[in-house]
Amino acid sequence: MNEALSDSTPSDSVLSPRALLKREWPYLLVLVLTLFGIAYASFSRTHLTLYWIVLAPFIGVICVVTGWPDTRDRDARLRLVWTQALHWAAVLLAMHLMFVADVARMSNADASALAVLTVLALGTFTAGIHIGSWRICLVGLIMGAGVPGIAWLEQSALLLLLAGLVLIAVIAPLVWRLLQGHKTSAEPAPRPTRMSKAA
């Protein structure tokens, strides 16, 4: 019976939000930073090129932290660090090449920012393949999906704004009526006073 209790306890603790957060925090942090960058770039229409360049080495550190427990000896750990360092140096170099004077003249700032995010997405996905982490690969795929998402949102921002205003204009009167109906039904009926009984 004690064995059954001990078997059920770890599975319960594995499924708890605290244990999940403790185990998955590096991936969740990279995912949150990625989604923040994509959302901010989409809605503010600003170029977050520096943000993506700073995020690249951070993802490299997360990749090393992720692959570290799977390496057994000193040589394997040294190889992990060097391969990730060279991989992310190549990604940063490719990002930097987007801003070389000749390349920058050929494309506008929007295209350059999306190209930097594309390079970062590819670098994240391939780093996930190298260390055998499907979670890092998933973050790379989400970054890659964010590239056309940002481009589409920038092109259709006015359309989305108009659709949102129309939706608010349709829903607001209905909600107002619904709230007024609940307010009148919630008011208690007036009680007869004693004077009216005496009369």
Side-chain angles (χ1 to χ4, degrees):
M1 182 149 171
N2 288 340
E3 290 176 5
L5 287 173
S6 65
D7 288 344
S8 65
T9 307
S11 64
D12 292 343
S13 65
V14 166
L15 295 176
S16 73
R18 186 174 184 184
L20 182 72
L21 187 63
K22 184 178 180 183
R23 191 176 62 247
E24 307 290 341
W25 73 266
Y27 315 110
L28 294 174
L29 182 60
V30 172
L31 187 61
V32 165
L33 291 173
T34 299
L35 292 175
F36 168 77
I38 290 170
Y40 188 80
S42 298
F43 293 108
S44 69
R45 303 190 79 177
T46 57
H47 314 299
L48 291 179
T49 307
L50 183 63
Y51 180 80
W52 300 122
I53 289 174
V54 169
L55 190 60
F58 178 72
I59 297 173
V61 170
I62 295 296
C63 288
V64 170
V65 168
T66 301
W68 195 266
D70 296 334
T71 54
R72 299 290 176 225
D73 57 348
R74 184 175 180 270
D75 291 337
R77 289 182 175 168
L78 196 61
R79 184 175 184 276
L80 171 71
V81 171
W82 276 110
T83 55
Q84 287 299 310
L86 290 173
H87 175 83
W88 288 103
V91 169
L92 285 171
L93 181 63
M95 289 176 160
H96 180 69
L97 287 175
M98 298 305 301
F99 301 104
V100 174
D102 294 338
V103 177
R105 271 187 268 142
M106 293 175 64
S107 62
N108 62 10
D110 287 336
S112 296
L114 290 176
V116 165
L117 180 55
T118 304
V119 171
L120 181 61
L122 179 63
T124 304
F125 184 77
T126 54
I129 290 173
H130 289 305
I131 63 171
S133 172
W134 64 269
R135 293 170 181 90
I136 297 290
C137 290
L138 180 65
V139 172
L141 287 174
I142 291 171
M143 284 180 185
V147 173
I150 290 172
W152 182 79
L153 283 172
E154 285 185 359
Q155 290 175 354
S156 58
L158 183 60
L159 179 65
L160 289 173
L161 179 65
L162 290 175
L165 290 174
V166 167
L167 193 63
I168 289 171
V170 169
I171 292 176
L174 296 173
V175 171
W176 179 261
R177 276 191 166 171
L178 192 65
L179 289 175
Q180 290 299 322
H182 283 299
K183 198 175 191 182
T184 56
S185 65
E187 291 176 359
R191 293 183 181 177
T193 59
R194 291 182 184 175
M195 295 182 82
S196 62
K197 285 182 179 178

